[in-house]
Amino acid sequence: EGREATDFCIGAAIYPEHPDKKQRFEFANIKFEKGAEYGITQMLFDPEPYGELMEELQSQGITAPVLPGLRILRSKKQGEVMKTRFGCSVPDWYLDQLPDEHEKGVVNPDVIPPFLELVDRLQDMGAPGIHIFVLTDVELCQLAMEKMIGRYE
């Protein structure tokens, strides 16, 4: 009572890097069958698992949009942490463009180009947009978003 109708919808977490490829598809499929209208992936840095899952979903008639969940990597060291702690793959082409380490609190604009390359690769795979995970790197994310304005129209 007293609520106004909205375009409220339900999204679901999607895991393109699930170690079991059969379960990866099945879990995503169940979420869409149960009413999810879109998905957002867990943090990813490699476009290939996203592309593979999207091809698999589309081959089964699932056309719901899935936004890749991204975070801007600030260093090779951080990339290695993402690999070991979260099981995310980070391709060499991305790591090779990053400094070895980053200074806490310092915004390094040199880490934006490899992030934009990742976004470009995902867009080439048909990603409808992206979700940026913003943790403590607010200024860096703002800088990246400024660089993206008008880039993907």
Side-chain angles (χ1 to χ4, degrees):
E1 190 174 312
R3 290 188 181 189
E4 199 172 306
T6 67
D7 289 334
F8 186 85
C9 62
I10 297 172
I14 305 294
Y15 188 19
E17 292 192 280
H18 190 290
D20 182 320
K21 288 190 178 197
K22 185 177 180 207
Q23 285 186 339
R24 170 182 78 175
F25 170 76
E26 288 173 356
F27 292 157
N29 186 43
I30 288 168
K31 292 171 184 182
F32 291 121
E33 282 180 350
K34 297 296 181 183
E37 295 179 50
Y38 70 95
I40 297 177
T41 72
Q42 96 285 2
M43 207 178 304
L44 61 84
F45 307 97
D46 184 352
E48 297 307 318
Y50 173 86
E52 289 172 13
L53 179 59
M54 294 311 298
E55 283 180 16
E56 192 170 4
L57 289 171
Q58 290 166 0
S59 75
Q60 299 299 314
I62 299 168
T63 59
V66 177
L67 299 173
L70 309 180
R71 182 170 183 206
I72 302 169
L73 288 175
R74 295 179 291 169
S75 67
K76 289 181 173 99
K77 182 178 179 181
Q78 186 184 35
E80 293 300 327
V81 168
M82 295 296 133
K83 284 179 171 182
T84 55
R85 186 176 296 160
F86 300 109
C88 300
S89 57
V90 184
D92 289 341
W93 64 260
Y94 197 142
L95 286 175
D96 290 346
Q97 297 181 64
L98 298 173
D100 291 336
E101 296 191 17
H102 65 274
E103 258 185 86
K104 190 173 181 161
V106 174
V107 176
N108 179 356
D110 295 339
V111 300
I112 301 295
F115 173 76
L116 295 177
E117 182 176 340
L118 173 60
V119 174
D120 290 345
R121 289 176 184 224
L122 288 161
Q123 187 189 36
D124 290 345
M125 292 178 171
I130 60 170
H131 170 81
I132 301 176
F133 290 99
V134 181
L135 303 177
T136 59
D137 41 10
V138 175
E139 287 180 59
L140 188 60
C141 292
Q142 289 173 334
L143 181 60
M145 290 188 304
E146 287 170 9
K147 300 267 185 206
M148 287 188 281
I149 292 172
R151 183 180 173 111
Y152 300 102
E153 293 176 359

